[in-house]
Amino acid sequence: MKQLSLKHFLVRSQAITLYRDIMRTLMKIDDQDYRKEMRDWTRYEFNRYKNLTDLGEIRTQIALGRRHLNELKLSMKMAS
Amino acid sequence: MLKTIFRNGCRLRPTFNICLSTSLSNRLHTLSPSNTYQNGQVWPHVFVLRRTSILDRHIKDAGQMRTPPPLTPRDIESRVLRICNEYDKIQEAQKNKIALETHFMNDLGLDSLDHVEIIVALENEFGFEIPDADYDKLYTVKAVVDYLKNRMHVVERPKPVVSSASDPRYDEHHH
């Protein structure tokens, strides 16, 4: 287990928070198939970049993730 | 009056040691002979009676007196276990062996993201949001159950809901 620096630790908890926000948003989707699809896609994306070590890259991915989440929330709001 | 109660399906929680007037108990006796003893004591279920001048509103309230049974620790435990078993990342072999002492990461091989998914599913199940800071306390099934018991103020032996029959608002005229 490699030692994480404090910055890495902070950025890791940001990623987990993002994942949590995505999951909570997905729970509001009524369509089970769509929900499953989004969840699988989210898992895939997060796992794909799981082993990044460069802080800049990690932060970029987190920001992209946030942007996706906001788009998702917007599309859900427009659909309802 | 009894007809009104029956018509509205008002079946209340069991009441104990209710003694009815003779005429009433005789009437009940014919309806459900197993339920009344000779001295007018009714056991275990009794249709608690209302005054003839009862308003429809009271009947409506009576119908709504049927509250869901209070939550017990065992309910919480079974619901938590059910949510864990429904989680797709757990192997079939491990599913039925989930117990209170099971640790999500050490025993079930889940990572932090899976853990988040399970807790979010529990949030959805129990209907309230668990603050982010508390996620770090919930790594075993037992911790989850205890936390939920605490948050939802669940006690070992919940007292039965008191029917509004004993509520003075509905009891202004007495026999």
Side-chain angles (χ1 to χ4, degrees):
Chain A
M1 255 305 216
K2 62 178 189 254
Q3 290 296 328
L4 294 176
S5 75
L6 180 61
K7 285 187 187 154
H8 276 99
F9 189 76
L10 291 173
V11 123
R12 178 181 182 274
S13 68
Q14 277 175 17
I16 292 179
T17 304
L18 174 61
Y19 195 76
R20 182 166 32 229
D21 291 341
I22 294 176
M23 287 300 147
R24 280 183 183 152
T25 307
L26 292 183
M27 281 297 179
K28 295 187 198 149
I29 298 178
D30 295 323
D31 184 351
Q32 292 293 343
D33 293 329
Y34 184 56
R35 190 196 291 183
K36 188 172 188 310
E37 196 184 317
M38 292 306 291
R39 202 184 51 174
D40 292 342
W41 183 75
T42 307
R43 279 181 184 169
Y44 173 72
E45 287 291 303
F46 269 77
N47 280 321
R48 194 166 149 201
Y49 298 114
K50 196 151 107 160
N51 295 316
L52 286 182
T53 45
D54 180 54
L55 286 175
E57 285 174 18
I58 297 176
R59 288 195 184 112
T60 307
Q61 290 304 320
I62 293 178
L64 277 174
R66 278 273 156 217
R67 220 170 295 165
H68 277 140
L69 178 59
N70 289 335
E71 282 170 17
L72 178 66
K73 282 186 180 167
L74 203 60
S75 72
M76 277 167 62
K77 203 166 158 188
M78 295 208 284
S80 66
Chain B
M1 198 203 327
L2 279 175
K3 267 193 254 161
T4 327
I5 305 288
F6 289 138
R7 204 186 303 137
N8 285 279
C10 171
R11 182 113 184 274
L12 301 175
R13 291 189 163 256
T15 41
F16 302 90
N17 298 326
I18 294 286
C19 282
L20 307 169
S21 66
T22 340
S23 63
L24 220 43
S25 78
N26 285 342
R27 246 197 246 152
L28 267 191
H29 199 75
T30 52
L31 294 169
S32 50
S34 55
N35 270 3
T36 37
Y37 300 130
Q38 284 305 348
N39 62 358
Q41 233 185 6
V42 182
W43 171 279
H45 294 275
V46 72
F47 295 86
V48 180
L49 304 170
R50 300 230 175 257
R51 305 295 307 155
T52 36
S53 59
I54 188 167
L55 304 169
D56 279 345
R57 180 171 60 88
H58 288 197
I59 295 289
K60 196 167 70 109
D61 286 345
Q64 287 164 353
M65 260 192 293
R66 206 175 319 169
T67 57
L71 214 55
T72 64
R74 208 164 299 160
D75 290 338
I76 294 191
E77 218 176 288
S78 66
R79 280 162 90 180
V80 170
L81 286 176
R82 194 192 75 220
I83 295 284
C84 291
N85 282 323
E86 282 173 356
Y87 189 56
D88 56 356
K89 273 206 177 164
I90 304 180
Q91 262 71 319
E92 283 301 323
Q94 294 168 315
K95 278 199 180 190
N96 296 326
K97 290 201 262 162
I98 301 182
L100 278 181
E101 302 78 39
T102 315
H103 191 280
F104 290 124
M105 277 121 158
N106 300 341
D107 297 334
L108 297 175
L110 302 173
D111 68 5
S112 49
L113 297 183
D114 301 324
H115 175 245
V116 167
E117 277 193 51
I118 289 188
I119 306 290
V120 167
L122 288 168
E123 281 183 4
N124 208 37
E125 164 77 13
F126 288 94
F128 64 89
E129 201 170 274
I130 297 176
D132 298 357
D134 290 345
Y135 274 59
D136 281 331
K137 306 178 192 162
L138 305 175
Y139 286 129
T140 70
V141 177
K142 185 174 192 309
V144 171
V145 171
D146 290 339
Y147 179 83
L148 289 169
K149 274 199 270 185
N150 224 325
R151 279 296 293 260
M152 297 196 287
H153 311 292
V154 167
V155 282
E156 263 308 326
R157 273 161 121 252
K159 297 227 175 89
V161 174
V162 177
S163 76
S164 69
S166 54
D167 189 330
R169 285 177 296 169
Y170 300 132
D171 243 274
E172 320 97 82
H173 334 272
H174 227 295
H175 304 292

